[in-house]
Every structure is written in C-alpha cells, then in structure tokens.
Amino acid sequence: MAAKTFPIEAGHILMFARSVGDDNRVYSDADYAKTTEAGGVIAPPTFVQSSAQFDPDYFLRPKVGQPWFGSGKNPTGIVRAPGGGGGGGGGGGLHAEQHYEYHLPLLAGDVLTATTFPGKTWEKEGKRSGKLVFSESVTEYRNQKGELVVTARGVGVRTERPVEQPAKKEEA
Amino acid sequence: MALSASKLKVGDVHSARLVEDLKRTQIVQYAGASGDYNPLHTDEIFTTQVAGYPSVFAHGMLTMGMTGKMLTDYVGDARLTKYGVRFTSQVWPGDTLDATATVKAINNGLAEFDVSTKNQDGVEVLSGYAEARIDA
C-alpha cells in the first residue's frame, strides 16, 4: 500500500464491517461504542487493507482516462492484463498470506500514515499452477501522534498459470 | 466480553459459521469497501474468458475479514494483538464457510490460537493464528 495518509472514517468502517458480515455495534454505533472497553468506534482487524482507497495510484482501481483490464464491450479492456500484488489476467497475482500485529486500538477519527518496506522474494514449484513467485511487503501504520498502531505484512504470489480447480486441498 | 485465563484452557475450541451460500453481491460489497476492484472478484466475463477461472472468487481478505469477526466475537473488541493467515484455497460464490479458533497457549495475559476456516466440503480455505490479551 502506498497510501501516505489514511483517515479512519466512521462511515468507511461501517461499510467495511457490513461487507465482512460483521454487525458488531462497536463498528457502527458511536454511543454504544463509548460504553465498551474500546471507548469509541474502532476499526475491524483487517480494516487497514482498505488503505488502498487512499492510494492515488492503486492499480486495482479503475482510473479516469486510463484503460482498465476488466470487461466492457470486450472481455478485457486491454490486450495484456497487468499482474502484481493483487492479481491480474491469466496466471496473474494472488494474495498468499496476510499478517497483522496490533499495537494500539484503531479508532474512528485517527489519521494514519503508512510506510511500506519491501520484503523477501522467493520461488517454489506449485502442483496446481506452475512456478510460484512469492514477494513480501511490510507496512507500518502510525497515527497522528506518531505511535505505531498496526504492522501489516503481506505476501503476494504470481502463478505461471491459473490455479487448477479439482484438487482443492493443496496449497495454491 | 473478554476471555479470562481462569476459564480458558489449552485445547478449547470456539467456532462460528461465517457465511452460508456466499453471494456475489457480498463480494461486490467487499470490493467497494476495501477498494480492491480486481475484476477477478466481480467481473464474471473477464474472470472466465480472460483469466481462465470457472467463476469470480472472493478476495482472500474477505475470508480473513469474516474470520476476524469470529475472533473478535470470541476474544472481545480491541483485544487482538496478532492475527495472520495463509490463503490455502479459493472461496467461490455459493460457498458456506465455518471457522474455528483453538486455544494453543495461555501465558502472561495473552492467549494464542490456531485459526482455521473450511468450506462446505471440509477444504481448508484459510489457515492461521491469532493472539489476544485476556483477563486474569
């Protein structure tokens, strides 16, 4: 994630919690949330993933005036679909792992600053999708006081070809 | 709401159904909220005709988010200190997912859990761990 500034907004938390099927009122009801240990509306554990919304260059969001690889008139808007961290065409990228460390509660009203460091890259031969190339990145999210709130480590994998389906039990 | 060490023991299992018959609309909701608009998750035409998958499939992070609800319902709000997963199989529209947290260790006010989410065929789609602060 290359979002520099990530405002933690109550409405965004509400939408995000709904999307993961979480009706806990600590994510949606400020009066109720004040009575909880959290002391206010907090963000669900995986919420920082949505910092993508605040990354102006995030490649998995259509942008004004630029080609988009999803379907419209044709099955894809560009000849060769981009790959990378989140995915793409053919044997593109998939999300392999995600890890979080929570240092402080993440409260509505906080403003986070994200700093991303590249991690390791490694390869493996997969049974269902050919050669797998894994790459890791670590993002530190600090609040408006400069305190470390969340550390996120993501691992993406690029596959040689789409993951075969019948043998669902093996690793991608 | 939080767990207490005096009532918790290694091997305790908490489980919850995350979703029954996952709808494409929920995947669209997650795309909109998270900002990950990868067509693999919402665009059936692209995904089947260009990417070569049998249908759109859920974001791994949607499964991690739903599994996170199981955890926070169990350990309490703002109690998690660690949560990490591997996405071991794809999740498809129509899937029904059940998740479990198993107590692995308890020490110094922290509990560690093994976390697993499986689909209706018993295939593990997410495998991971969590750690949470607990009361005495």
Side-chain angles (χ1 to χ4, degrees):
Chain A
M1 298 298 136
K4 279 197 144 161
T5 301
F6 176 23
I8 307 303
E9 298 164 348
H12 191 193
I13 292 174
L14 168 81
M15 287 192 288
F16 187 91
R18 277 183 184 156
S19 77
V20 297
D22 196 334
D23 56 5
N24 186 336
R25 287 194 291 154
V26 78
Y27 304 131
S28 59
D29 181 337
D31 291 335
Y32 164 78
K34 275 184 203 145
T35 69
T36 68
E37 186 181 309
V41 169
I42 54 170
T46 61
F47 183 76
V48 294
Q49 190 71 12
S50 66
S51 63
Q53 299 280 17
F54 297 92
D55 174 357
D57 302 318
Y58 188 56
F59 78 109
L60 292 172
R61 178 179 65 242
K63 292 176 203 70
V64 176
Q66 293 180 27
W68 176 244
F69 63 109
S71 69
K73 200 177 289 180
N74 299 307
T76 179
I78 50 179
V79 178
R80 193 175 163 75
L94 296 170
H95 200 167
E97 295 179 35
Q98 185 65 44
H99 306 265
Y100 294 111
E101 283 177 54
Y102 306 102
H103 310 287
L104 287 171
L106 181 53
L107 290 153
D110 281 351
V111 179
L112 300 185
T113 304
T115 313
T116 299
F117 308 92
K120 291 178 292 185
T121 301
W122 66 98
E123 289 184 8
K124 199 173 122 179
E125 197 62 35
K127 285 179 195 153
R128 293 162 53 203
S129 45
K131 190 170 83 170
L132 304 170
V133 181
F134 293 89
S135 60
E136 182 182 64
S137 73
V138 176
T139 303
E140 290 182 353
Y141 295 91
R142 289 174 190 277
N143 66 16
Q144 59 282 5
K145 297 175 203 159
E147 299 162 330
L148 186 59
V149 178
V150 180
T151 306
R153 180 165 65 88
V155 178
V157 58
R158 291 185 52 81
T159 62
E160 206 165 42
R161 54 178 191 268
V163 183
E164 286 165 22
Q165 292 315 313
K168 276 189 174 177
K169 285 204 171 162
E170 295 164 36
E171 192 185 339
Chain B
M1 267 211 22
L3 297 171
S4 76
S6 59
K7 289 180 193 151
L8 204 63
K9 58 182 192 301
V10 171
D12 281 357
V13 177
H14 172 78
S15 43
R17 172 143 296 178
L18 305 183
V19 66
E20 195 161 336
D21 183 7
L22 175 68
K23 302 297 192 287
R24 286 172 175 77
T25 306
Q26 185 173 354
I27 300 174
V28 169
Q29 265 185 299
Y30 186 78
S34 70
D36 180 345
Y37 299 99
N38 192 331
L40 288 174
H41 305 304
T42 55
D43 184 338
E44 197 82 24
I45 292 171
F46 170 84
T47 306
T48 56
Q49 296 183 25
V50 180
Y53 285 99
S55 88
V56 294
F57 52 92
H59 306 73
M61 290 305 298
L62 172 54
T63 305
M64 186 176 189
M66 292 191 290
T67 304
K69 174 191 185 325
M70 177 279 292
L71 285 170
T72 51
D73 282 352
Y74 182 39
V75 305
D77 301 327
R79 286 285 183 145
L80 281 180
T81 51
K82 289 179 188 166
Y83 176 29
V85 307
R86 286 192 308 131
F87 303 108
T88 49
S89 198
Q90 282 157 294
V91 171
W92 305 94
D95 278 358
T96 293
L97 303 179
D98 291 291
T100 58
T102 307
V103 179
K104 193 179 159 191
I106 304 166
N107 39 60
N108 299 324
L110 292 170
E112 290 173 45
F113 306 90
D114 287 322
V115 177
S116 172
T117 301
K118 291 181 176 168
N119 68 16
Q120 64 284 352
D121 300 319
V123 175
E124 189 166 62
V125 296
L126 173 151
S127 163
Y129 60 87
E131 183 190 83
R133 287 183 298 110
I134 58 172
D135 293 336

